[in-house]
Amino acid sequence: MTAIDDGPDAKKAKMFAAPTVEEVAALREAEGIFSGRLSQLKTDEILREITPSTGDLNELTEILGAIRQLMKKLPKIEDMNLEDVGTSIKDSVIPIVMSPPSDKGLVRFQPPTRISLIDLDSAVKYNEKIEARIEFEMPKNCLQEKDVWDERFFRKRAIFMAYLATVLVKKFTVSYKIVNGLRIKPVMVLSNEKFEITCEIKTEVEFAKRARFIPSRCNIHYNWWAQISEDDSVPAETTLYNSAMLDDQISFEAEEKDLLEKFGSLPPSLNNASRLFKLWTRQSCIQHLECSPGRRSNDFLSFFIHKNILIL
């Protein structure tokens, strides 16, 4: 028997048909799920479990002080060519593959100009560990304007993390992770028995003009990338490369200021909403939504508030 093809008009009619009695009943049952008293009690219980205590936050502040003391022991790295840098600094591995080899650029490092705990009010406890974030500011004399080209910025960023790790290993287990598959921009993680701290690297100043980071611009020389002498092909845009580089020039304070300009004042329950969002992303295995680049969790929440999707 040949199946009857309802056609596009019939399918469209079914799609926009009035709900059945069973569907209306199901909607009424679900109507109060997120606004009822039981739901609020469950939310409060979850927040108590994932919110660090005042003592935990005080410990984080002490850890910040210890990190600042460790940074004072960092020796300065004088000028050396980027192509002469090996795969490690002392015993600290540089977490990036230097291939193709760099042919230009100077490496010059000194201790961070600023170290701060960021987003502390929305730190979250997950899997028996408290997750927090620290921002290290890379001094302006570590970078040159032409570092936008050919992965020079990302390689200097990776070398800077290895440089910091040479003293951080005295107090923490130092590891690196790749976020969102972006291998040229690894993230340093400091951990001990109780805390897991994600380290973000920001530049002290914007080392290049904003025009160099527009999505349509190409910041890779193809003949360098392909290791050929001449090439007549039209280079493709390096959109993700550009945005990942620009993100490291925008500090947490600048993002916070931008949010305040948008909303006038931040809702007092935004931090709890941020914690719940982080929990949801981890349990749904989509934590890349709130990872670098940027302060993604509060970016999403701000968008939801702006569009009246979420009311705090």
Side-chain angles (χ1 to χ4, degrees):
M1 182 177 179
T2 306
I4 299 174
D5 186 1
D6 293 334
D9 293 336
K11 290 179 180 178
K12 188 175 181 180
K14 286 181 180 179
M15 186 183 298
F16 293 99
T20 64
V21 175
E22 291 79 8
E23 288 172 338
V24 171
L27 284 171
R28 286 177 178 170
E29 288 178 8
E31 188 176 17
I33 286 180
F34 298 105
S35 58
R37 179 61 182 161
L38 181 60
S39 173
Q40 185 61 45
L41 288 172
K42 288 181 178 178
T43 302
D44 291 342
E45 184 180 354
I46 292 170
L47 281 171
R48 281 195 297 271
E49 291 181 3
I50 65 174
T51 302
S53 66
T54 303
D56 295 332
L57 298 180
N58 289 339
E59 282 188 57
L60 273 172
T61 305
E62 291 174 5
I63 286 174
L64 177 65
I67 290 174
R68 285 174 174 161
Q69 291 300 317
L70 288 172
M71 293 298 107
K72 293 179 180 179
K73 300 178 182 179
L74 276 172
K76 292 184 179 180
I77 295 181
E78 300 301 332
D79 292 0
M80 63 183 297
N81 292 324
L82 192 57
E83 61 265 30
D84 295 334
V85 178
T87 57
S88 64
I89 297 178
K90 294 184 179 180
D91 295 328
S92 184
V93 176
I94 298 172
I96 195 172
V97 178
M98 300 280 195
S99 178
S102 298
D103 57 359
K104 293 180 181 178
L106 291 175
V107 174
R108 178 193 305 127
F109 288 129
Q110 62 186 51
T113 49
R114 182 177 57 83
I115 309 168
S116 57
L117 277 167
I118 58 175
D119 209 10
L120 184 59
D121 292 335
S122 59
V124 65
K125 185 187 293 184
Y126 187 71
N127 282 343
E128 303 303 322
K129 282 202 172 186
I130 298 168
E131 299 180 8
R133 295 162 62 199
I134 284 184
E135 195 172 85
F136 291 89
E137 193 172 77
M138 188 188 298
K140 59 184 178 182
N141 60 356
C142 296
L143 299 167
Q144 301 164 292
E145 187 175 358
K146 291 186 178 181
D147 285 342
V148 295
W149 288 104
D150 303 335
E151 293 187 6
R152 288 181 214 165
F153 169 75
F154 294 107
R155 295 184 180 192
K156 285 188 177 183
R157 179 184 178 276
I159 296 168
F160 186 68
M161 286 194 294
Y163 168 65
L164 300 180
T166 56
V167 294
L168 290 172
V169 291
K170 297 176 182 177
K171 190 172 181 63
F172 303 97
T173 300
V174 180
S175 60
Y176 301 95
K177 64 180 180 180
I178 302 298
V179 178
N180 298 336
L182 198 58
R183 294 185 176 276
I184 59 174
K185 192 176 178 181
V187 176
M188 183 166 66
V189 180
L190 310 178
S191 56
N192 57 20
E193 299 80 10
K194 189 173 181 179
F195 297 97
E196 185 172 290
I197 302 171
T198 300
C199 302
E200 298 192 10
I201 308 297
K202 300 291 182 179
T203 60
E204 184 180 4
V205 295
E206 295 189 15
F207 66 92
K209 296 178 181 178
R210 284 288 181 103
R212 291 183 175 270
F213 305 104
I214 60 175
S216 59
R217 184 182 176 90
C218 176
N219 283 311
I220 294 285
H221 290 109
Y222 185 75
N223 57 347
W224 167 81
W225 178 256
Q227 293 293 285
I228 56 178
S229 56
E230 294 183 2
D231 182 67
D232 296 329
S233 62
V234 178
E237 298 109 345
T238 52
T239 306
L240 181 59
Y241 174 102
N242 299 350
S243 62
M245 204 164 17
L246 178 62
D247 176 65
D248 280 352
Q249 298 186 71
I250 304 172
S251 67
F252 175 80
E253 285 78 7
E255 293 173 0
E256 196 82 31
K257 183 179 178 182
D258 183 55
L259 285 174
L260 289 171
E261 287 177 354
K262 286 180 181 177
F263 301 109
S265 62
L266 297 180
S269 53
L270 182 62
N271 292 326
N272 285 339
S274 179
R275 287 190 177 100
L276 291 171
F277 183 83
K278 290 176 182 178
L279 178 65
W280 172 69
T281 58
R282 284 159 176 74
Q283 292 183 339
S284 304
C285 297
I286 52 173
Q287 54 264 44
H288 58 275
L289 288 179
E290 52 91 11
C291 290
S292 241
R295 193 189 180 196
R296 288 275 181 94
S297 58
N298 279 1
D299 286 346
F300 274 99
L301 291 169
S302 302
F303 173 77
F304 292 155
I305 296 167
H306 182 65
K307 296 296 184 181
N308 294 321
I309 298 172
L310 178 66
I311 299 175
L312 299 177

